[in-house]
Short mmCIF file of all heavy atoms in Angstrom, two decimals:
data_model
loop_
_atom_site.label_atom_id
_atom_site.label_comp_id
_atom_site.label_asym_id
_atom_site.label_seq_id
_atom_site.Cartn_x
_atom_site.Cartn_y
_atom_site.Cartn_z
N VAL A 1 0.81 -1.23 0.02
CA VAL A 1 -0.02 0.04 -0.04
C VAL A 1 0.85 1.25 0.05
O VAL A 1 0.56 2.21 -0.75
CB VAL A 1 -0.98 -0.01 1.19
CG1 VAL A 1 -1.73 1.34 1.26
CG2 VAL A 1 -1.92 -1.14 1.14
N VAL A 2 1.91 1.24 0.82
CA VAL A 2 2.82 2.43 0.91
C VAL A 2 3.47 2.79 -0.39
O VAL A 2 3.55 3.88 -0.89
CB VAL A 2 3.87 2.16 2.07
CG1 VAL A 2 4.89 3.26 1.88
CG2 VAL A 2 3.17 2.33 3.42
N ILE A 3 3.98 1.64 -1.08
CA ILE A 3 4.81 1.97 -2.24
C ILE A 3 3.85 2.34 -3.44
O ILE A 3 4.28 3.11 -4.29
CB ILE A 3 5.65 0.70 -2.64
CG1 ILE A 3 6.87 1.16 -3.52
CG2 ILE A 3 4.88 -0.40 -3.42
CD1 ILE A 3 7.99 0.17 -3.59
N MET A 4 2.65 1.88 -3.40
CA MET A 4 1.74 2.26 -4.44
C MET A 4 1.25 3.74 -4.21
O MET A 4 1.16 4.54 -5.20
CB MET A 4 0.49 1.36 -4.47
CG MET A 4 0.83 -0.03 -4.97
SD MET A 4 1.51 0.01 -6.73
CE MET A 4 2.27 -1.65 -6.81
N LEU A 5 1.01 4.09 -3.01
CA LEU A 5 0.70 5.53 -2.69
C LEU A 5 1.89 6.45 -3.08
O LEU A 5 1.70 7.48 -3.67
CB LEU A 5 0.35 5.70 -1.25
CG LEU A 5 -0.97 5.12 -0.71
CD1 LEU A 5 -1.07 5.24 0.75
CD2 LEU A 5 -2.13 5.83 -1.48
N TYR A 6 3.08 5.94 -2.72
CA TYR A 6 4.26 6.70 -3.11
C TYR A 6 4.35 6.91 -4.70
O TYR A 6 4.64 7.96 -5.16
CB TYR A 6 5.45 5.92 -2.51
CG TYR A 6 6.81 6.25 -3.23
CD1 TYR A 6 7.64 7.24 -2.78
CD2 TYR A 6 7.32 5.33 -4.12
CE1 TYR A 6 8.78 7.47 -3.39
CE2 TYR A 6 8.52 5.48 -4.73
CZ TYR A 6 9.28 6.62 -4.30
OH TYR A 6 10.48 6.86 -4.93
N TYR A 7 4.15 5.77 -5.38
CA TYR A 7 4.27 5.88 -6.82
C TYR A 7 3.17 6.81 -7.41
O TYR A 7 3.45 7.46 -8.43
CB TYR A 7 4.10 4.47 -7.40
CG TYR A 7 4.41 4.36 -8.86
CD1 TYR A 7 5.61 4.75 -9.37
CD2 TYR A 7 3.46 3.91 -9.80
CE1 TYR A 7 5.82 4.59 -10.79
CE2 TYR A 7 3.67 3.78 -11.12
CZ TYR A 7 4.88 4.17 -11.62
OH TYR A 7 5.19 4.08 -12.88
N PHE A 8 2.00 6.79 -6.84
CA PHE A 8 0.88 7.59 -7.31
C PHE A 8 1.33 9.12 -7.19
O PHE A 8 1.20 9.92 -8.08
CB PHE A 8 -0.44 7.40 -6.52
CG PHE A 8 -1.52 8.28 -6.89
CD1 PHE A 8 -2.30 8.08 -8.00
CD2 PHE A 8 -1.72 9.44 -6.17
CE1 PHE A 8 -3.35 9.00 -8.37
CE2 PHE A 8 -2.79 10.30 -6.52
CZ PHE A 8 -3.52 10.06 -7.58
N LEU A 9 1.74 9.49 -5.96
CA LEU A 9 2.12 10.86 -5.76
C LEU A 9 3.34 11.30 -6.55
O LEU A 9 3.29 12.38 -7.18
CB LEU A 9 2.51 11.07 -4.24
CG LEU A 9 1.42 11.08 -3.22
CD1 LEU A 9 2.02 11.07 -1.81
CD2 LEU A 9 0.53 12.29 -3.50
N TYR A 10 4.29 10.49 -6.76
CA TYR A 10 5.45 10.75 -7.65
C TYR A 10 5.03 10.98 -9.04
O TYR A 10 5.42 11.87 -9.75
CB TYR A 10 6.51 9.69 -7.55
CG TYR A 10 7.68 9.89 -8.41
CD1 TYR A 10 8.71 10.81 -7.97
CD2 TYR A 10 7.90 9.23 -9.55
CE1 TYR A 10 9.83 11.00 -8.75
CE2 TYR A 10 8.96 9.46 -10.35
CZ TYR A 10 9.95 10.30 -9.93
OH TYR A 10 11.08 10.61 -10.74
N THR A 11 4.14 10.06 -9.53
CA THR A 11 3.69 10.16 -10.95
C THR A 11 2.87 11.38 -11.24
O THR A 11 3.02 12.09 -12.15
CB THR A 11 2.92 8.87 -11.32
OG1 THR A 11 3.73 7.66 -11.09
CG2 THR A 11 2.55 8.90 -12.80
N PHE A 12 1.89 11.55 -10.32
CA PHE A 12 1.08 12.79 -10.40
C PHE A 12 1.72 14.05 -10.36
O PHE A 12 1.56 14.94 -11.22
CB PHE A 12 -0.02 12.67 -9.29
CG PHE A 12 -1.02 13.96 -9.31
CD1 PHE A 12 -1.91 14.11 -10.36
CD2 PHE A 12 -0.88 14.90 -8.39
CE1 PHE A 12 -2.81 15.11 -10.39
CE2 PHE A 12 -1.79 15.99 -8.40
CZ PHE A 12 -2.65 16.16 -9.42
N GLY A 13 2.62 14.19 -9.38
CA GLY A 13 3.45 15.45 -9.25
C GLY A 13 4.32 15.59 -10.48
O GLY A 13 4.42 16.77 -11.00
N GLY A 14 4.91 14.58 -10.98
CA GLY A 14 5.86 14.70 -12.10
C GLY A 14 5.07 15.15 -13.41
O GLY A 14 5.52 15.84 -14.21
N ASN A 15 3.91 14.50 -13.56
CA ASN A 15 3.05 14.84 -14.72
C ASN A 15 2.64 16.31 -14.72
O ASN A 15 2.68 16.98 -15.81
CB ASN A 15 1.71 13.89 -14.76
CG ASN A 15 2.03 12.57 -15.25
OD1 ASN A 15 3.11 12.22 -15.78
ND2 ASN A 15 1.12 11.59 -15.03
N VAL A 16 2.11 16.79 -13.59
CA VAL A 16 1.75 18.21 -13.54
C VAL A 16 2.94 19.13 -13.81
O VAL A 16 2.79 20.05 -14.53
CB VAL A 16 1.14 18.50 -12.11
CG1 VAL A 16 0.91 20.00 -12.04
CG2 VAL A 16 -0.14 17.70 -11.93
N LYS A 17 4.13 18.78 -13.30
CA LYS A 17 5.34 19.51 -13.52
C LYS A 17 5.66 19.54 -15.05
O LYS A 17 5.95 20.62 -15.67
CB LYS A 17 6.50 18.92 -12.76
CG LYS A 17 7.86 19.65 -13.11
CD LYS A 17 8.91 18.77 -12.49
CE LYS A 17 9.12 17.45 -13.17
NZ LYS A 17 10.27 16.61 -12.62
N ASN A 18 5.56 18.37 -15.67
CA ASN A 18 6.00 18.31 -17.14
C ASN A 18 4.98 19.03 -17.97
O ASN A 18 5.44 19.69 -18.96
CB ASN A 18 6.03 16.78 -17.54
CG ASN A 18 7.14 16.05 -16.92
OD1 ASN A 18 8.12 16.74 -16.42
ND2 ASN A 18 7.06 14.72 -16.67
N ILE A 19 3.72 19.01 -17.69
CA ILE A 19 2.67 19.64 -18.51
C ILE A 19 2.88 21.22 -18.34
O ILE A 19 2.74 21.94 -19.31
CB ILE A 19 1.29 19.34 -17.97
CG1 ILE A 19 1.04 17.86 -18.27
CG2 ILE A 19 0.20 20.21 -18.61
CD1 ILE A 19 -0.24 17.27 -17.64
N SER A 20 3.26 21.68 -17.14
CA SER A 20 3.42 23.11 -16.94
C SER A 20 4.76 23.73 -17.35
O SER A 20 4.93 24.93 -17.33
CB SER A 20 3.11 23.46 -15.47
OG SER A 20 3.96 22.70 -14.62
N LEU A 21 5.69 22.85 -17.71
CA LEU A 21 7.01 23.33 -18.02
C LEU A 21 6.95 24.41 -19.08
O LEU A 21 7.66 25.43 -19.03
CB LEU A 21 7.92 22.11 -18.47
CG LEU A 21 9.25 22.44 -19.10
CD1 LEU A 21 10.18 23.26 -18.15
CD2 LEU A 21 9.99 21.18 -19.59
N VAL A 22 6.37 24.11 -20.22
CA VAL A 22 6.41 25.02 -21.41
C VAL A 22 5.67 26.35 -20.97
O VAL A 22 6.17 27.43 -21.33
CB VAL A 22 5.61 24.39 -22.53
CG1 VAL A 22 5.46 25.43 -23.69
CG2 VAL A 22 6.33 23.19 -23.07
N TYR A 23 4.57 26.27 -20.26
CA TYR A 23 3.88 27.50 -19.81
C TYR A 23 4.78 28.35 -18.85
O TYR A 23 4.84 29.51 -18.87
CB TYR A 23 2.60 27.10 -19.12
CG TYR A 23 1.60 26.47 -19.99
CD1 TYR A 23 1.62 25.08 -20.27
CD2 TYR A 23 0.56 27.22 -20.62
CE1 TYR A 23 0.72 24.45 -21.08
CE2 TYR A 23 -0.34 26.67 -21.44
CZ TYR A 23 -0.27 25.31 -21.64
OH TYR A 23 -1.22 24.76 -22.50
N PHE A 24 5.49 27.61 -17.88
CA PHE A 24 6.35 28.29 -16.96
C PHE A 24 7.52 29.06 -17.76
O PHE A 24 7.79 30.19 -17.43
CB PHE A 24 6.99 27.25 -16.02
CG PHE A 24 7.92 27.91 -14.94
CD1 PHE A 24 7.41 28.63 -13.94
CD2 PHE A 24 9.24 27.81 -15.18
CE1 PHE A 24 8.27 29.24 -13.03
CE2 PHE A 24 10.16 28.35 -14.25
CZ PHE A 24 9.64 29.07 -13.16
N CYS A 25 8.07 28.35 -18.70
CA CYS A 25 9.16 29.00 -19.49
C CYS A 25 8.69 30.10 -20.37
O CYS A 25 9.36 31.12 -20.57
CB CYS A 25 9.92 27.97 -20.31
SG CYS A 25 10.70 26.71 -19.34
N ASN A 26 7.42 30.00 -20.87
CA ASN A 26 6.96 30.99 -21.77
C ASN A 26 6.37 32.26 -21.06
O ASN A 26 6.50 33.38 -21.59
CB ASN A 26 5.76 30.39 -22.61
CG ASN A 26 6.30 29.58 -23.75
OD1 ASN A 26 7.47 29.61 -24.10
ND2 ASN A 26 5.47 28.70 -24.33
N TYR A 27 5.81 32.04 -19.90
CA TYR A 27 5.00 33.20 -19.28
C TYR A 27 5.50 33.61 -17.91
O TYR A 27 5.04 34.74 -17.46
CB TYR A 27 3.57 32.77 -19.15
CG TYR A 27 2.98 32.44 -20.42
CD1 TYR A 27 2.43 31.13 -20.71
CD2 TYR A 27 2.75 33.35 -21.49
CE1 TYR A 27 1.81 30.83 -21.91
CE2 TYR A 27 2.13 33.05 -22.68
CZ TYR A 27 1.65 31.82 -22.88
OH TYR A 27 1.03 31.47 -24.05
N VAL A 28 6.41 32.85 -17.22
CA VAL A 28 6.91 33.24 -15.97
C VAL A 28 8.40 33.54 -16.04
O VAL A 28 8.79 34.64 -15.68
CB VAL A 28 6.61 32.17 -14.93
CG1 VAL A 28 7.12 32.61 -13.55
CG2 VAL A 28 5.10 31.88 -14.80
N LEU A 29 9.19 32.51 -16.34
CA LEU A 29 10.60 32.72 -16.36
C LEU A 29 11.11 33.46 -17.57
O LEU A 29 12.01 34.27 -17.51
CB LEU A 29 11.33 31.33 -16.20
CG LEU A 29 12.79 31.34 -16.09
CD1 LEU A 29 13.33 32.09 -14.89
CD2 LEU A 29 13.31 29.94 -16.09
N GLY A 30 10.58 33.15 -18.76
CA GLY A 30 11.09 33.71 -20.04
C GLY A 30 9.92 34.33 -20.81
O GLY A 30 8.95 34.74 -20.19
N THR A 31 10.11 34.45 -22.06
CA THR A 31 9.08 34.92 -22.99
C THR A 31 8.62 33.89 -23.89
O THR A 31 9.27 32.87 -24.08
CB THR A 31 9.55 36.20 -23.72
OG1 THR A 31 10.74 35.84 -24.44
CG2 THR A 31 9.85 37.32 -22.78
N TYR A 32 7.52 34.10 -24.57
CA TYR A 32 6.90 33.08 -25.42
C TYR A 32 7.84 32.54 -26.53
O TYR A 32 8.32 33.40 -27.36
CB TYR A 32 5.63 33.63 -26.04
CG TYR A 32 4.85 32.60 -26.83
CD1 TYR A 32 4.06 31.75 -26.17
CD2 TYR A 32 4.91 32.48 -28.24
CE1 TYR A 32 3.30 30.73 -26.82
CE2 TYR A 32 4.22 31.55 -28.88
CZ TYR A 32 3.41 30.64 -28.23
OH TYR A 32 2.63 29.67 -28.84
N ASN A 33 8.16 31.21 -26.45
CA ASN A 33 9.04 30.67 -27.48
C ASN A 33 10.30 31.48 -27.77
O ASN A 33 10.66 31.70 -28.93
CB ASN A 33 8.20 30.46 -28.78
CG ASN A 33 7.36 29.29 -28.71
OD1 ASN A 33 7.40 28.40 -27.77
ND2 ASN A 33 6.50 29.09 -29.73
N ASP A 34 10.99 31.83 -26.68
CA ASP A 34 12.23 32.64 -26.89
C ASP A 34 13.45 31.80 -27.32
O ASP A 34 14.45 32.36 -27.68
CB ASP A 34 12.58 33.43 -25.58
CG ASP A 34 12.72 32.50 -24.42
OD1 ASP A 34 13.05 31.38 -24.59
OD2 ASP A 34 12.55 32.99 -23.21
N GLY A 35 13.22 30.51 -27.31
CA GLY A 35 14.30 29.68 -27.93
C GLY A 35 15.46 29.32 -26.94
O GLY A 35 16.24 28.40 -27.35
N HIS A 36 15.54 29.78 -25.75
CA HIS A 36 16.58 29.40 -24.88
C HIS A 36 16.08 29.07 -23.39
O HIS A 36 16.83 28.32 -22.71
CB HIS A 36 17.58 30.56 -24.82
CG HIS A 36 17.11 31.83 -24.15
ND1 HIS A 36 16.52 32.75 -24.87
CD2 HIS A 36 17.03 32.19 -22.89
CE1 HIS A 36 16.13 33.78 -24.11
NE2 HIS A 36 16.49 33.44 -22.90
N THR A 37 15.04 29.63 -22.97
CA THR A 37 14.62 29.36 -21.59
C THR A 37 14.38 27.89 -21.32
O THR A 37 14.93 27.32 -20.35
CB THR A 37 13.37 30.22 -21.22
OG1 THR A 37 13.59 31.59 -21.47
CG2 THR A 37 13.00 30.00 -19.77
N GLN A 38 13.54 27.25 -22.14
CA GLN A 38 13.24 25.85 -21.89
C GLN A 38 14.48 25.00 -22.07
O GLN A 38 14.66 24.05 -21.27
CB GLN A 38 12.20 25.38 -22.78
CG GLN A 38 11.67 23.91 -22.54
CD GLN A 38 10.51 23.55 -23.38
OE1 GLN A 38 9.78 24.37 -24.00
NE2 GLN A 38 10.30 22.26 -23.43
N THR A 39 15.31 25.36 -23.01
CA THR A 39 16.52 24.54 -23.18
C THR A 39 17.45 24.62 -22.01
O THR A 39 18.00 23.66 -21.54
CB THR A 39 17.35 25.08 -24.41
OG1 THR A 39 16.50 24.97 -25.56
CG2 THR A 39 18.61 24.26 -24.57
N LEU A 40 17.60 25.86 -21.40
CA LEU A 40 18.45 26.01 -20.18
C LEU A 40 17.90 25.29 -19.00
O LEU A 40 18.66 24.54 -18.34
CB LEU A 40 18.60 27.48 -19.89
CG LEU A 40 19.56 28.36 -20.62
CD1 LEU A 40 19.48 29.84 -20.30
CD2 LEU A 40 20.92 27.88 -20.43
N VAL A 41 16.62 25.39 -18.82
CA VAL A 41 16.03 24.69 -17.72
C VAL A 41 16.20 23.06 -17.89
O VAL A 41 16.48 22.48 -16.87
CB VAL A 41 14.46 25.06 -17.56
CG1 VAL A 41 13.78 24.12 -16.51
CG2 VAL A 41 14.31 26.51 -17.24
N SER A 42 15.97 22.64 -19.04
CA SER A 42 16.10 21.20 -19.35
C SER A 42 17.49 20.75 -19.21
O SER A 42 17.76 19.63 -18.58
CB SER A 42 15.58 20.83 -20.75
OG SER A 42 14.22 21.26 -20.80
N VAL A 43 18.45 21.46 -19.74
CA VAL A 43 19.86 21.07 -19.74
C VAL A 43 20.43 21.12 -18.30
O VAL A 43 21.02 20.15 -17.81
CB VAL A 43 20.71 22.04 -20.63
CG1 VAL A 43 22.19 21.67 -20.43
CG2 VAL A 43 20.36 21.76 -22.07
#
């Protein structure tokens, strides 16, 4: 039960993070499709 709850939280949190990555780089940290913000964060 513990390891399945752990896996659920890890997967859910990771999915939300991955979905919001582009939006964060476009509208918070950088500018829309500036060509370097997302690359820097990923690298």
Side-chain angles (χ1 to χ4, degrees):
V1 173
V2 166
I3 204 164
M4 290 302 163
L5 287 174
Y6 158 85
Y7 188 60
F8 175 85
L9 284 173
Y10 180 77
T11 304
F12 177 71
N15 283 348
V16 173
K17 174 192 66 180
N18 292 336
I19 293 169
S20 57
L21 168 63
V22 175
Y23 294 85
F24 178 78
C25 293
N26 283 343
Y27 300 116
V28 180
L29 182 61
T31 56
Y32 187 80
N33 280 350
D34 56 27
H36 65 270
T37 302
Q38 186 175 343
T39 300
L40 280 172
V41 172
S42 299
V43 171

